[in-house]
Amino acid sequence: MSGLAEELSLKKYDNIKFYFKILIALWFVVFLSVIIYSNYEINFYVKDEVGSNAIILATYIANSLKISNEDYLFLKSLTFKELLESEINKDFEEMARAVMDVSNYKYIYIVSRLEGSEKKYNNDVIYLLDAVDSVKTRREDAEDKNYYDDEIRYGIADELFKEVEKTKIPSYKVDKYKGAERVYAYVPFYTVEGNFIGLLGVDTDVYELGRIRERYIPLITVYIVINLMIGLIAFALYRYMRKVHNDLKKERHLSGIDELTHVFNRRKFNELFIELWNQAKEEKQNISIMLIDLDYFKEFNDNYGHSAGDVMLKNIGEILEKESSKYGGYVFRYGGDEFVILFPDINIIQGEEVGNTILKAINDAKLEHPYSPIGKVQTVSIGVTSTIPKDEINIKEFFNYADTALYLSKRYGRNRVSVWKI
């Protein structure tokens, strides 16, 4: 029996050794995976945080800065030397440097599109206002050119410029500039008369990346090496990263809100639409979409002005938010006087009922619109469609069906709800 017991003990020892080797191998794999994953996540979240903050800063400056149509034409007519010596640019640079002195921002500027004969040096944009953190930086940027060389003032519209110029939605990008990473953000810029003239941009080097990487990666490595409870460490790290993710999502939330109506904006719609569509497809549930247009809103703006129009849009946004929240809906300002509402797990019959409820609430609000051809209050036209997502229909077609339903409401008198059954 002793021989058998010894054989069983050896076999048990071999099994333990085998499992221990597996544990070591898993430990090593997790060690490498966590380092790679953590480095990626830290880079992603920090860049996103810096980009979101850059958009917030640019938006604040754009809203604070007052440039008239006359100023715009005057600034375009100047040479670069005249621009830098002008009172307008000096005041702008003084304001900008007050921000740059307490931050990592190096450039704050307004850039405008050139058309046709205005283009110079094979470039298609011009810097209307130009502020840098110091004269030294400006001279370094001039490189071997003359400090006042007019060519320095012109540039080429990159993809981010074209995107923001087209959509009028603030955005940012991370790229390499003179061997270092930088974040730059653009927001639309309008004159005090309301004319779009270009983009306000801010640039900053991403100094935080190296600092945070140096602080966290060695710490993570040490914990993995010295702690045999690899599962708990991995779980704690995952929870920590999730917390960072959630905190940054809260900070990013502002970039998904329409500044005027305080409902979600079009950028947020594009993100959430895909997410809810995929969720409905996976869970085999209905998803409904509702498109809403204010009836004869142009006539309202033409007679009362854009300030009154903004108040009207806010009021409509509040009604839509209040009514749709009762059914779990998400409200978005799609653009101008267009709104979209997404309803998870609501079918076409329910969608039509909710549409009529919203229609009634807006009529009951009695928002005065005496210039409307169909009544004395502001009304809306609504288009609704619903489906359980399948491979036979894509998300773009689904949206177009709702748009077709909206067209029917407009065609047959407005102030009504139309549905498109798929």
Side-chain angles (χ1 to χ4, degrees), residues 312 315-316 319 358-368 377-378:
M312 178 66 76
N315 290 333
I316 294 296
I319 295 171
I358 290 174
L359 195 73
K360 182 177 184 301
I362 291 175
N363 278 280
D364 289 348
K366 299 187 185 305
L367 303 172
E368 293 185 4
V377 297
Q378 180 65 64

Side-chain angles (χ1 to χ4, degrees), residues 214-227:
E214 290 173 3
R215 186 172 65 190
Y216 283 99
I217 295 300
L219 181 63
I220 294 170
T221 303
V222 170
Y223 267 92
I224 293 175
V225 171
I226 68 174
N227 198 327

Side-chain angles (χ1 to χ4, degrees), residues 36 62 76 82 127 186 198 217 238 275 327 366:
I36 294 170
K76 285 182 70 176
E82 290 170 341
Y127 289 86
Y186 286 135
I217 295 300
Y238 172 74
E275 180 180 333
Y327 309 93
K366 299 187 185 305

Side-chain angles (χ1 to χ4, degrees), residues 75-84 148 150 153-154:
L75 292 171
K76 285 182 70 176
S77 69
L78 301 177
T79 65
F80 189 43
K81 182 177 181 179
E82 290 170 341
L83 172 71
L84 296 181
Y148 291 114
D150 203 44
R153 191 182 178 195
Y154 295 85

Side-chain angles (χ1 to χ4, degrees), residues 101-113:
D101 286 344
V102 294
S103 68
N104 291 325
Y105 293 97
K106 296 185 69 174
Y107 307 92
I108 300 176
Y109 48 88
I110 296 178
V111 62
S112 179
R113 170 78 71 174

